[in-house]
Amino acid sequence: MVRHVQLLAVAGLLMVGGVGAGRPDVAQPRDAVAPSVTSQRSGGALIERDGITASKAVHTLLDRAREAMGGRTRLSAVRSLLIDWTLIFEGQRPNPRQWRMLVPNRFAEIRAQMVYVIDGANYYQAPEPAKDAKEDARKAMTTTFTEQSLVLLLRAPSLEPVRAELKDTAAGADREVVFTRPDGSVLGIDLDASTYRPKAYYRLSSVTMNGKTTTGTRRVVIDEANQVSGIWFPKAMTMLQEGFPTPVKMAFTAIRVNEGVTAEDFRSR
């Protein structure tokens, strides 16, 4: 058992059928998505920083985005995040969940009846899944951890460093950065042309809703953001999943920076 199970009663979470209600989403390999990416050869040697390997030009752009998000110093000082959030499906009650992140290699997602935990090289789940489902769940949670680390903090977790490249865009348009994970799958982040803060992000995913599984591009548009501890975080978002006609609303209802999360939260019990 995992210590997080004890948190379920405290959080009062409700299980509502929806995207990934029975298991996390499973990312697909990169060959299913082929963005046009600017060559890095003209940018000189590649540099590794914040778990991201990229050219100097890409790092310069990411640093500009970090300043727009609250400043590199503030982002670098983040050691933990505790995020309460909800999925809101049309005609259904909100589906509350919680993320706990401890830099650089711990992450947990708490749902009404399921808990998923990454503790460095170890992975736990409660209740314990069938043996053939556990590896898929671990991969899916790693995908979510990497995705949220990049979107919220513009850094990669230590357990999964990434490569970053620029996607070709028209002059004056939003800038797109494509991050390639070790398994070859990609995550794209659109940076607003005016503010340079993240505007949307996308990746290929498989999701299950009402017994139907669909694989396609998932795009999350950040509709509203607010500042917490001097950092701009998403507040209201719209998730568009290819193959699903109805958009899904997402909301970060509470964010705590550098409080409420310890290494003990991720231990196996």
Side-chain angles (χ1 to χ4, degrees), residues 213-226:
T213 299
T214 300
T215 298
T217 299
R218 166 188 293 184
R219 182 176 178 83
V220 178
V221 178
I222 299 172
D223 302 314
E224 183 180 353
N226 65 348

Side-chain angles (χ1 to χ4, degrees), residues 3 70 85 99-100 165 172 199 202 206 241 255 266:
R3 182 174 179 267
W85 62 285
W99 283 328
R100 289 182 170 234
E165 300 167 295
K199 178 179 180 179
Y202 60 90
S206 293
Q241 174 68 41
I255 301 176
F266 305 86

Side-chain angles (χ1 to χ4, degrees), residues 102-229:
L102 188 63
V103 176
N105 61 359
R106 293 180 173 93
F107 183 74
E109 180 173 312
I110 303 170
R111 305 184 185 181
Q113 299 175 5
M114 299 290 293
V115 179
Y116 308 90
V117 180
I118 294 172
D119 182 17
N122 300 314
Y123 173 77
Y124 313 107
Q125 186 173 329
E128 187 71 17
K131 186 176 181 181
D132 58 354
K134 189 170 184 177
E135 180 59 18
D136 280 347
R138 184 194 66 78
K139 290 179 179 179
M141 284 304 298
T142 302
T143 295
T144 301
F145 186 17
T146 299
E147 175 183 77
Q148 295 306 314
S149 294
L150 290 169
V151 170
L152 302 178
L153 302 174
L154 285 184
R155 71 171 87 166
S158 64
L159 55 88
E160 193 170 62
V162 299
R163 274 189 299 112
E165 300 167 295
L166 297 181
K167 185 175 178 180
D168 293 323
T169 57
D174 296 334
R175 307 302 302 273
E176 293 187 43
V177 184
V178 177
F179 299 90
T180 303
R181 300 169 56 215
D183 68 358
S185 62
V186 301
L187 166 71
I189 298 180
D190 296 349
L191 301 177
D192 187 273
S194 299
T195 67
Y196 279 85
R197 297 201 305 263
K199 178 179 180 179
Y201 57 97
Y202 60 90
R203 64 177 168 86
L204 202 67
S205 68
S206 293
V207 297
T208 300
M209 184 173 183
N210 299 328
K212 177 185 176 183
T213 299
T214 300
T215 298
T217 299
R218 166 188 293 184
R219 182 176 178 83
V220 178
V221 178
I222 299 172
D223 302 314
E224 183 180 353
N226 65 348
Q227 283 186 308
V228 179
S229 299

